[in-house]
């Protein structure tokens, strides 16, 4: 292949079928990758109830990026077969590599955003739990300070019998 000085000479040579085959395999590979990711994520979604929102976002991202790269590979193949001497396929081919790079960087960015949203949801749940525990401790201390068992010094663990919630004092304050 190195003996050709012009790309138009390559398209007229006996090696043109290998380029055609490579473009066809590129389209097939893009579609196969997109569909396999879709099926695997869909199966994972049925197994995990707590991560449905995250998996839905990943499925949407997979379909968007996979269809973009598959469409570009199809456009390259179509322009190769329709007008090999015009080199339009080469311009689309060069942008396809950039689309792959953008898809990779986008997937890294999406992973980071999904992790951050999951952590904020988990921390929100922890904050609510801590607030309830603090409220329970405060209401218990104000109503019955002598009933709280003494802990060992340096112990930071909370045992179930350490928390006493007096509902009557909370209800009486509202009246």
């Amino acid at each position: 292949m190195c003996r050709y000085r012009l790309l138009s000479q390559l398209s007229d040579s006996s090696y043109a079928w290998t380029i055609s085959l490579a473009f066809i395999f590129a389209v097939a590979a893009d579609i196969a990758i997109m569909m396999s990711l879709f099926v695997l994520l869909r199966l994972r979604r049925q197994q995990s109830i707590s991560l449905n929102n995250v998996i839905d976002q990943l499925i949407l991202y997979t379909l968007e990026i996979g269809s973009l790269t598959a469409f570009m590979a199809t456009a390259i193949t179509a322009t190769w077969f329709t007008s090999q001497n015009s080199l339009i396929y080469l311009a689309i081919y060069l942008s396809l590599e950039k689309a792959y790079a953008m898809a990779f960087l986008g997937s890294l960015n999406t992973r980071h955003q999904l992790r951050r949203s999951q952590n904020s949801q988990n921390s929100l749940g922890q904050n609510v739990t801590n607030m309830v525990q603090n409220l329970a401790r405060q209401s218990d201390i104000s109503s019955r300070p002598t009933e709280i068992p003494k802990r060992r010094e340096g112990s930071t663990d909370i045992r179930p019998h350490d928390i006493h919630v007096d509902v009557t004092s909370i209800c009486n304050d509202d009246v």
Side-chain angles (χ1 to χ4, degrees), residues 129-144:
T129 304
N130 290 339
M131 286 173 35
V132 168
Q133 288 176 351
N134 288 338
L135 180 65
R137 275 193 230 129
Q138 288 174 357
S139 67
D140 191 34
I141 290 172
S142 64
S143 63
R144 290 178 265 161

Side-chain angles (χ1 to χ4, degrees), residues 66 70 100:
Y100 285 138

Side-chain angles (χ1 to χ4, degrees), residues 53-120:
N53 187 26
V54 173
I55 293 175
D56 285 342
Q57 290 177 355
L58 288 174
I59 288 172
L60 179 66
Y61 180 77
T62 299
L63 291 177
E64 288 173 351
I65 295 301
S67 61
L68 173 73
T69 56
F71 174 75
M72 289 182 72
T74 305
I76 291 168
T77 306
T79 55
W80 168 257
F81 282 122
T82 57
S83 57
Q84 293 179 354
N85 293 329
S86 69
L87 300 180
I88 294 173
Y89 69 92
L90 189 60
I92 301 171
Y93 181 75
L94 293 175
S95 63
L96 178 65
E97 294 174 1
K98 290 179 174 60
Y100 285 138
M102 294 299 287
F104 177 69
L105 293 175
S107 69
L108 293 178
N109 194 19
T110 302
R111 279 184 14 190
H112 177 69
Q113 288 175 354
L114 290 176
R115 245 188 228 138
R116 190 171 51 195
S117 71
Q118 280 296 103
N119 288 340
S120 68

Side-chain angles (χ1 to χ4, degrees), residues 7-27:
L7 286 174
S8 59
Q9 291 175 343
L10 179 64
S11 64
D12 293 334
S13 71
S14 61
Y15 293 112
W17 69 272
T18 58
I19 295 173
S20 301
L21 196 60
F23 287 151
I24 290 170
F25 283 148
V27 171

